Amino acid sequence: QRGSILDWDGVALAASVGTTGSFRRIYYDPASAPVTGYDSSHYGQAGLETSVDGFLRGEIGPDPLMIWWSELVYGRPPAGYHLRLTLNSELQRASADQLAGQRGALVVVDARSGAILAMASAPSFDPNTLDQEWPELVVRTDGPLLNRATQGQYQPGMTLAPLLFAWGTSNGLIEVELPAPDLFSLVTVFDRNLACERPVEPQDEPNWETALALACPGPFAALGERMGSEGVLRALEAFGLLEPPQIRLEGASELPTIAFENPRLAAVGQAELTVTPLQLARAFSVLTGAGVRPGLTLVAAVGPTPGDWQLLPALDAALPVLPPSEAQRTLDSLIDYGDGFRGYEVQALSGSGSLGWFVGFGPRDEVAVVLLEGGTPARARELGISVLRLAADLDLTSRDG
């Protein structure tokens, strides 16, 4: 019998029912399909069903002696091990509902622990009807089988600005009180001119904090030119944007080597670099995580029975990136939405159109990243704040176990 996949609170997301020789896989929460994936006798596996297949089949696990004994005596491994995820099924369903009818992804992470609380992708699919719908799913042009949170590669645009601002202030490249160079200069990308995302107010000082708050590309393009390609790469590497997070889920296992030809465009996120929403969530966890980049976790524990859990360590170690004071100063410079919620919303350009990005921070160290293909930053912010409010109400960052 194949092991079950449960959320943090023990809610079954996937399980096998039946008897020996006739087990069938049931997916109780199709909203989790981008994470659980599918296990089909006709079309193979995807998601956790393939990346941790050894645990679910009972071939690897916390008790190697039991596995050896079962194979010796019965000629087969024991019943599959169950998995406990860091996801919260209620938050996962809310995230999927928010994305309904759009193309994009939504990720929520606990910045302190690195626990992934929700990971939604749209459009998606129902693993329970995969076999019947497969011929249609594989020819659709909107990619329902693609987990955009971990596999979608997108231009980050000016989402890089808070990260480079924090890096610049902590490395002596930016003096916050001084005037920002080229504050209202336009930056040309794809024959289009990028300007400040938000309008200038009469009381705004022409300094770096204004450049950050208004998402003005000119100063950051100038910063990229000053840093040079190697300097920009070092900063992006420190925030984890040059390598995919290791979370025991299939995804981009290898990213191309980047050598920026134009560091000005690189610093405004419109060069060779592409990122996944999950990568951005990890990067921005540095700001609300006291300057530390966490090792992300999706599969929290494994066990022969629910409740008899052995915790699994994060595959990536936590890494100090910024002094806590600089991380906090950058966070305080972002947009204040009230009630303890802050964030940053920008539009990026891609070869196929525009992207709406929102990065949000909740009052309990939650970080949410929303990406909408062809959507607006305002719409992305609306979805992100809604999910962050639910995460704060559920108080998921203070869970025990």
Side-chain angles (χ1 to χ4, degrees), residues 348-400:
L349 303 179
S350 70
S352 58
S354 62
L355 306 169
W357 283 107
F358 172 73
V359 181
F361 305 87
R364 294 187 173 89
D365 299 325
E366 312 95 338
V367 175
V369 171
V370 183
L371 177 281
L372 298 180
E373 298 177 13
T376 65
R379 179 57 176 156
R381 179 239 306 150
E382 182 182 334
L383 306 188
I385 291 293
S386 174
V387 170
L388 280 172
R389 289 189 184 280
L390 176 58
D393 290 342
L394 294 172
D395 197 12
L396 302 179
T397 57
S398 62
R399 300 182 293 183
D400 296 326

Side-chain angles (χ1 to χ4, degrees), residues 88-215:
N88 174 269
S89 57
E90 184 176 352
L91 188 66
Q92 179 72 19
R93 283 192 297 273
S95 300
D97 289 344
Q98 291 290 332
L99 287 175
Q102 300 165 100
R103 298 189 191 188
L106 198 162
V107 177
V108 185
V109 169
D110 178 347
R112 299 282 178 166
S113 70
I116 299 171
L117 307 176
M119 182 193 295
S121 176
S124 188
F125 63 97
D126 185 345
N128 295 299
T129 57
L130 180 87
D131 287 356
Q132 302 94 293
E133 298 177 358
W134 182 266
E136 177 190 351
L137 291 172
V138 295
V139 298
R140 281 174 52 177
T141 58
D142 55 357
L145 298 175
L146 175 73
N147 183 352
R148 286 166 161 82
T150 61
Q151 297 171 317
Q153 296 288 328
Y154 302 100
Q155 301 285 157
M158 284 293 286
T159 60
L160 298 185
L163 305 177
L164 292 180
F165 177 89
W167 183 264
T169 56
S170 63
N171 287 277
L173 300 172
I174 292 176
E175 294 186 45
V176 177
E177 299 78 13
L178 294 182
D182 303 331
L183 183 57
F184 303 120
S185 296
L186 301 179
V187 177
T188 302
V189 181
F190 297 128
D191 298 324
R192 292 177 58 182
N193 290 325
L194 295 182
C196 298
E197 287 272 347
R198 288 168 282 283
V200 182
E201 302 295 340
Q203 69 273 18
D204 290 332
E205 296 289 335
N207 57 25
W208 273 100
E209 287 190 330
T210 296
L212 176 62
L214 303 183

Side-chain angles (χ1 to χ4, degrees), residues 293-357:
R293 191 185 85 195
L296 298 186
T297 304
L298 175 64
V299 183
V302 60
T305 59
D308 184 13
W309 299 115
Q310 177 172 314
L311 297 179
L312 296 175
L315 296 177
D316 289 333
L319 178 69
V321 176
L322 300 171
S325 59
E326 296 300 339
Q328 187 63 48
R329 175 159 67 172
T330 303
L331 187 62
D332 292 342
S333 299
L334 303 184
I335 302 172
D336 187 348
Y337 299 106
D339 299 325
F341 297 94
R342 289 188 176 274
Y344 206 65
E345 53 192 88
V346 299
Q347 188 170 58
L349 303 179
S350 70
S352 58
S354 62
L355 306 169
W357 283 107

